[in-house]
Amino acid sequence: MNIRDCLGCYGGGKNAESPCVQKDDMAKIYPVYKEADIVVLASPLYYWTFSGQLKTCFDRLFAVAECNPDYSNPVKETVLLMAAEGDEFEESLYWYDRLEKHLGWKSLGKVLCGGVAGIGDISGRKELTEAYNLGKSIS
Ligand SMILES: Cc1cc2nc3c(=O)[nH]c(=O)nc-3n(C[C@H](O)[C@H](O)[C@H](O)COP(=O)(O)O)c2cc1C
């Protein structure tokens, strides 16, 4: 998707249907985010944290919080799915934990799969079953 960086203009939130001043592919995400009970954050580990693409998208969701006078975010349940060559997920977990602490979101589970870099490495890994079972438990 074509998702531009947040401008930090604090000019959003005037129209709940199209909350950001920038008009790009976030237009596809805002209505889905509004309806969603659960937000699944899925990312490879890039330089010890989740991808810039995911962070950019998340920053742009601030425009939804701007619809409220106190910038409160909609409360969601959430899931974290990550893959990495190594297994240093600490920074991502720290950030993910903030969603619970500051946004009041509830984590339904995390699946972190280290040791996967090349095509096919994930084949047969127990984390695939964990992800399947997590999905089943919430569907
Ligand atoms: C830009 C970039 C940065 C990366 N940084 C890390 C890292 O800090 N730690 C790590 O374990 N793997 C790192 N990796 C490896 C990826 O996390 C790993 O290949 C992952 O399995 C890719 O998931 P994907 O197949 O879904 O794209 C990096 C890969 C790229 C392309």
Side-chain angles (χ1 to χ4, degrees):
M1 286 192 193
N2 175 21
I3 296 176
R4 292 196 288 273
D5 296 332
C6 176
L7 298 172
C9 69
Y10 288 80
K14 295 184 176 68
N15 173 3
E17 299 309 313
S18 178
C20 188
V21 297
Q22 300 194 76
K23 306 302 171 197
D24 57 14
D25 284 342
M26 280 303 289
K28 297 176 190 163
I29 293 179
Y30 288 127
V32 179
Y33 178 66
K34 194 172 163 191
E35 290 302 313
D37 298 316
I38 301 170
V39 176
V40 177
L41 301 165
S43 176
L45 187 74
Y46 281 178
Y47 289 103
W48 308 284
T49 188
F50 50 88
S51 71
Q53 291 94 322
L54 178 60
K55 182 60 164 56
T56 296
C57 179
F58 211 90
D59 289 350
R60 293 286 302 285
L61 294 177
F62 180 68
V64 177
E66 284 185 294
C67 294
N68 302 320
D70 61 352
Y71 295 134
S72 59
N73 289 265
V75 175
K76 305 286 183 185
E77 292 178 318
T78 190
V79 166
L80 180 67
L81 304 177
M82 294 191 73
E85 185 175 2
D87 60 359
E88 295 173 294
F89 294 105
E90 293 85 352
E91 287 200 23
S92 308
L93 290 171
Y94 181 86
W95 181 85
Y96 185 68
D97 196 42
R98 292 282 147 319
L99 301 179
E100 214 151 32
K101 281 208 173 84
H102 300 300
L103 305 190
W105 288 19
K106 181 179 183 301
S107 174
L108 299 179
K110 309 162 211 178
V111 180
L112 307 174
C113 187
V116 287
I119 294 169
D121 285 353
I122 196 126
S123 166
R125 290 287 304 262
K126 68 173 176 20
E127 289 84 355
L128 290 177
T129 312
E130 283 175 29
Y132 178 80
N133 289 338
L134 177 58
K136 258 194 131 176
S137 74
I138 59 183
S139 58

